[in-house]
Amino acid sequence: MSQPSHAVDLDVEVNHGQIYIYGAAPWADDPNSDAVLRALDDARQSGRFVGVSDGLVDLVSPAQWNFHAPMRVEVWPLEPPADDDAWDQVVDVDLDVPDGRVWFEGSGGRDPIPCDVPPGTYRARVSGRGYAEVADGAEGLDSYRLRLWPRDGDTGPRSRKVWFGYER
Amino acid sequence: MKFVIFDAARMPFITRNISTAWAAGKPGVLTKDSSAEAANRKQVCLPSFARPHGGQCDEYPFAGTRQGGAGAQEHEVPARENQCQGGTLSTRYRAAGIKDGDDYLVVIIHPDQIASGPFQGVDIAEDQTCG
């Protein structure tokens, strides 16, 4: 299988160097949820720069902000073939999308941007690139991709590739 | 009055920017305004802002407020603090029900932990977590 069964291109917002990705908002039942802060701690302390907490994924980017960041969302029937060389950062995480809607929310109080996908319990591959360019001050050259495929059980996050700039 | 708390033990340089901006006459009460943020970010913390220590640019008043934009005070801060600030705003806006058009008071706790000088490339926070 070399093609996704579902693909959408959209613009999302990076703000304060982060995009929150979730299919079920941790604050739906608890307005005081600090999941975004704990996901950030996980992202940084793990060295993955993609963190998880209560089902929310925090994608940390060297781009401070980009309100028109390209995000490609793909749904695959099986784990997709690797193309890590084409990206600066690649991390696999679990992501549940019970209602068939993934939300992308820029940090700092931005409105979330929806993307409809088939409802499911997914393994997700989060990728980003253009990092060296934006770290050097260029604007709008960062882009992202979220690949989803069905998972059977729960698995911890796995870093496939870490941007060299985070290791400096 | 709703409020947003910034912990100087976690964000010593962000809180230094806030406190010195207050001392320079910038307001302590801000008005959330997401619609202004994109335009405000084109006026402050531009790519030309010098970041000699590899940090990021922080502005006060915040770009996501009606008071942000031209004239905001800019400081270089560690990337971790900028990310932590974003998470703090997201969390607190939601918890306190702060929506566009709402005023809120900015509060600093552990003020003794505010950085005594500019960021020099070292993240000096006593507590390097955010959550």
Side-chain angles (χ1 to χ4, degrees):
Chain A
M1 181 61 68
S2 59
Q3 296 293 325
S5 55
H6 180 93
V8 178
D9 290 297
L10 66 160
D11 281 357
V12 300
E13 297 183 338
V14 181
N15 203 24
H16 291 272
Q18 297 161 93
I19 307 169
Y20 306 131
I21 305 170
Y22 51 91
W27 45 84
D29 297 323
D30 177 11
N32 292 309
S33 167
D34 64 350
V36 300
L37 295 170
R38 286 183 282 110
L40 173 59
D41 287 342
D42 179 51
R44 296 194 61 91
Q45 291 168 357
S46 66
R48 279 184 257 106
F49 290 88
V50 171
V52 295
S53 180
D54 296 343
L56 176 139
V57 178
D58 185 9
L59 166 56
V60 176
S61 166
Q64 264 195 258
W65 71 280
N66 179 358
F67 289 170
H68 297 284
M71 170 69 77
R72 182 171 176 83
V73 179
E74 297 177 350
V75 181
W76 291 69
L78 298 169
E79 180 175 350
D83 63 348
D84 299 355
D85 290 346
W87 298 87
D88 292 325
Q89 176 186 31
V90 184
V91 178
D92 288 354
V93 296
D94 287 353
L95 182 67
D96 292 346
V97 189
D99 299 325
R101 181 162 288 179
V102 180
W103 297 93
F104 298 92
E105 179 180 324
S107 181
R110 302 297 300 169
D111 289 335
I113 295 168
C115 177
D116 288 346
V117 300
T121 52
Y122 292 107
R123 189 69 171 166
R125 183 159 296 156
V126 182
S127 305
R129 63 186 167 195
Y131 286 8
E133 292 84 349
V134 298
D136 285 341
E139 288 186 326
L141 296 182
D142 51 317
S143 62
Y144 306 89
R145 187 184 65 191
L146 179 71
R147 282 179 152 177
L148 305 171
W149 67 96
R151 73 173 198 271
D152 291 328
D154 294 345
T155 309
R158 178 187 168 219
S159 180
R160 297 173 59 91
K161 185 173 186 179
V162 176
W163 178 52
F164 67 89
Y166 286 139
E167 297 170 338
R168 286 188 295 212
Chain B
M1 172 68 71
K2 296 173 179 177
F3 58 90
V4 174
I5 295 172
F6 291 89
D7 186 346
R10 290 172 161 161
M11 293 174 273
F13 293 105
I14 292 274
T15 50
R16 178 174 184 272
N17 192 14
I18 294 171
S19 63
T20 57
W22 287 344
K26 302 299 182 190
V29 175
L30 304 179
T31 311
K32 184 177 186 300
D33 187 355
S34 347
S35 65
E37 188 160 5
N40 285 346
R41 288 199 180 281
K42 291 179 180 171
Q43 299 181 73
V44 294
C45 286
L46 301 176
S48 56
F49 175 79
R51 298 173 298 150
H53 303 292
Q56 295 187 344
C57 181
D58 173 58
E59 77 289 327
Y60 188 88
F62 310 134
T65 67
R66 195 167 293 164
Q67 294 76 16
Q73 177 171 287
E74 302 164 303
H75 280 187
E76 186 183 17
V77 302
R80 183 195 61 79
E81 288 197 31
N82 186 45
Q83 294 153 4
C84 191
Q85 180 191 42
T88 299
L89 289 169
S90 295
T91 299
R92 188 58 191 164
Y93 283 163
R94 194 166 278 120
I98 298 170
K99 304 188 182 309
D100 281 344
D102 289 349
D103 290 342
Y104 65 87
L105 178 67
V106 177
V107 176
I108 295 174
I109 60 170
H110 300 128
D112 56 313
Q113 300 292 313
I114 293 173
S116 57
F119 176 55
Q120 299 290 321
V122 178
D123 187 346
I124 62 169
E126 184 174 273
D127 183 349
Q128 304 237 341
T129 65
C130 291

